[in-house]
Amino acid sequence: MKTESGALQGRRILVAVSGSIAAVKTPLLVSALVKAGAQVRCVVTPSAAQLVSPVALASLSRHRCYQDDDQWDPREPRPLHVALAEWAELVIVAPLSASTLARWTQGMGDGLLASLLLACERPVVAAAAMNTGMWSQPAVRRNWALLADDPRVLRLAPESGLLACDRIGDGRMADPELIRLAAESALLTQASNGSLPWDWQGRTVLVSAGPTVEGIDPARVLSNRSSGRMGVLIAQAARFRGASVHLVHGPLQLPLAWLEGLHCQAIESAEQMQEHLHRLQANAAAVVMAAAVADWRRQGGASVQKAPKADLQRTLAEQLEPVPDLLKELQATKPDGQRLLGFAALSGSDDEIQALARDKRAAKGCDLLMANPIDRNGQGFGAAMNGGWLVKTDGSTEGVPVMDKLALAHRLLDQLVDCF
Ligand code: CTP
């Protein structure tokens, strides 16, 4: 797994493992956290220790792995569950089993893991995993709903997939790569009392991301270098803050696990993107156009026959038409109160970029426009970092320092939510 940002560097993360077969994936998570520079401690329940080796977790975290027998070890200077809960800046429960969920929500502290969850005052990322039948039990669903009352808890519901019990259904633990992203998000956004922001709760957000691809013929396309990272991270950041998120995206170059938990619509052409955006616009409180829509397309779509190289110049000159501006269209059809955030990929001097961005915001009519230079090393298309200027409706621009795209996603959501 690739290290994506510095948000985990030096941070103290406690990984709590309870008894679900998904525990076999937890070593991948621990390894990714350590590679990203985090200090990690692991705690396993007795059933988790049957499924995943505490020795493996100790090796990967570079620290002993704690078990129930350690809780009252006379060599520990302080009660271990309290010491660990106070040490951690963030707790990740992965996987969260039905029994550990029940203990936690009923306030039972039997066992090291259960008691440290009660002692913990920091954010907790909880990734549930269990058999589909267990997950659908009213008692389990009630306990899961109870967790939503705690503003420190970021819940990652089980995903659908083939389960170890051979059933296909909800129950699979969120991918370790998504859990890592949720952990970064929680560390970036926690308040001093450990609460996470829930300011997008109850709102639907529509996001476009990635490039569009316009076919010329069976071999050739017109597209661009967008990886989709900025848009997908805005989508996940909004979801982590409580929104229900629809994502319309072109071909992406990023971990597929980053799409978990979003309502996704994969497209290729601008026409397909346009169709889905118009279908989904009415119910959205905010629309974020992070997609890099291709500027030109062949009239009537891709030709069935491959154009000979000699004809290509003429074909392109005669048959290309501009792609309609989707952001402008969304501005024209938006319902009352809907907020629109656009992007502008620009190059030039700082002053030139700000002037172009002001004109572009005015022309497109969006509430906010994030202008980002794409001609500077380490930022822009495909990079992990981004920065630039945010243009508002009054034409004022605010400098945004270069930062990790997940941090920028949260900053843009802070600004967008202020527009309501
Ligand atoms: N956009 C759009 N439809 C298009 C082109 C762009 O909705 N056909 C949106 C993008 O999603 C982005 C904003 O408009 O939010 C600005 O995109 P950008 O590519 O920077 O600008 P363009 O309008 O294409 O202008 P230019 O390429 O000339 O700078």
Side-chain angles (χ1 to χ4, degrees):
M1 243 176 297
K2 248 172 66 193
T3 302
E4 303 294 345
S5 85
L8 296 170
Q9 183 65 44
R11 307 306 293 265
R12 299 185 305 277
I13 300 177
L14 193 138
V15 176
V17 192
S18 61
S20 152
I21 188 64
V24 300
K25 295 190 205 160
T26 307
L28 286 175
L29 171 67
V30 171
S31 170
L33 295 171
V34 169
K35 281 183 188 158
Q39 299 177 54
V40 180
R41 304 280 183 272
C42 297
V43 172
V44 291
T45 62
S47 12
Q50 304 286 316
L51 297 160
V52 61
S53 154
V55 179
L57 292 171
S59 300
L60 292 169
S61 65
R62 296 9 174 211
H63 197 277
R64 63 184 289 214
C65 171
Y66 296 103
Q67 305 191 49
D68 272 5
D69 285 349
D70 300 317
Q71 189 166 11
W72 304 112
D73 184 334
R75 286 167 300 180
E76 292 290 343
R78 300 180 67 217
L80 189 58
H81 58 290
V82 177
L84 285 172
E86 287 180 3
W87 172 85
E89 291 176 86
L90 172 78
V91 174
I92 301 175
V93 194
L96 173 66
S97 69
S99 324
T100 293
L101 171 65
R103 285 192 192 93
W104 190 9
T105 51
Q106 303 312 311
M108 286 175 65
D110 55 336
L112 177 59
L113 194 156
S115 48
L116 84 80
L117 282 177
L118 298 185
C120 169
E121 293 175 311
R122 305 316 311 163
V124 184
V125 172
M130 62 196 76
N131 154 273
T132 308
M134 294 167 79
W135 175 243
S136 58
Q137 282 301 319
V140 173
R141 303 316 291 261
R142 272 196 302 274
N143 288 338
W144 183 249
L146 279 175
L147 271 191
D149 294 341
D150 188 337
R152 293 173 310 122
V153 179
L154 178 48
R155 297 177 308 157
L156 298 178
E159 295 291 322
S160 194
L162 173 62
L163 307 179
C165 51
D166 271 342
R167 273 179 82 159
I168 294 177
D170 289 344
R172 181 174 69 75
M173 184 174 77
D175 190 285
E177 184 59 28
L178 185 78
I179 301 174
R180 190 184 63 75
L181 197 63
E184 284 190 30
S185 179
L187 285 166
L188 282 166
T189 58
Q190 61 170 309
S192 55
N193 66 357
S195 285
L196 298 171
W198 295 102
D199 45 357
W200 285 87
Q201 187 87 49
R203 291 189 166 113
T204 297
V205 179
L206 174 58
V207 181
S208 71
T212 60
V213 181
E214 304 297 338
I216 299 292
D217 62 28
R220 302 181 180 98
V221 296
L222 287 176
S223 189
N224 56 64
R225 293 178 189 279
S226 170
S227 65
R229 177 184 297 249
M230 190 68 242
V232 171
L233 290 177
I234 290 185
Q236 283 294 0
R239 174 222 175 181
F240 294 150
R241 288 163 74 152
S244 164
V245 182
H246 289 273
L247 176 74
V248 183
H249 66 87
L252 303 170
Q253 297 166 57
L254 40 80
L256 276 185
W258 285 8
L259 301 185
E260 287 182 0
L262 307 172
H263 305 286
C264 291
Q265 194 65 60
I267 56 91
E268 285 223 325
S269 68
E271 189 177 7
Q272 292 165 342
M273 180 168 275
Q274 182 181 36
E275 185 189 314
H276 290 294
L277 290 176
H278 286 299
R279 178 173 60 79
L280 294 164
Q281 181 180 22
N283 292 325
V287 181
V288 177
M289 273 301 291
V293 184
D295 299 310
W296 296 90
R297 66 185 172 199
R298 184 177 176 277
Q299 286 166 22
S303 69
V304 184
Q305 296 280 328
K306 184 179 171 195
K309 190 164 43 179
D311 291 352
L312 201 56
Q313 193 176 10
R314 188 182 48 82
T315 307
L316 291 177
E318 289 173 6
Q319 297 179 356
L320 286 190
E321 65 175 8
V323 171
D325 193 310
L326 308 188
L327 180 54
K328 250 191 205 167
E329 288 181 1
L330 290 165
Q331 169 65 23
T333 53
K334 73 172 192 178
D336 274 356
Q338 183 175 80
R339 298 298 173 219
L340 252 66
L341 165 65
F343 278 79
L346 296 168
S347 55
S349 70
D350 290 5
D351 287 344
E352 282 165 347
I353 290 180
Q354 287 181 70
L356 283 169
R358 269 193 294 270
D359 291 349
K360 201 170 273 206
R361 197 223 55 83
K364 307 225 178 202
C366 49
D367 299 278
L368 291 172
L369 184 106
M370 176 68 208
N372 58 291
I374 52 167
D375 55 352
R376 301 179 191 181
N377 267 349
Q379 65 181 101
F381 281 154
M385 314 284 274
N386 212 356
W389 292 269
L390 192 60
V391 189
K392 303 184 180 172
T393 34
D394 61 5
S396 61
T397 58
E398 182 182 310
V400 179
V402 176
M403 61 181 85
D404 174 74
K405 283 184 175 171
L406 182 61
L408 178 60
H410 279 297
R411 177 137 174 190
L412 293 173
L413 289 171
D414 291 343
Q415 300 268 356
L416 198 56
V417 86
D418 279 350
C419 295
F420 285 110

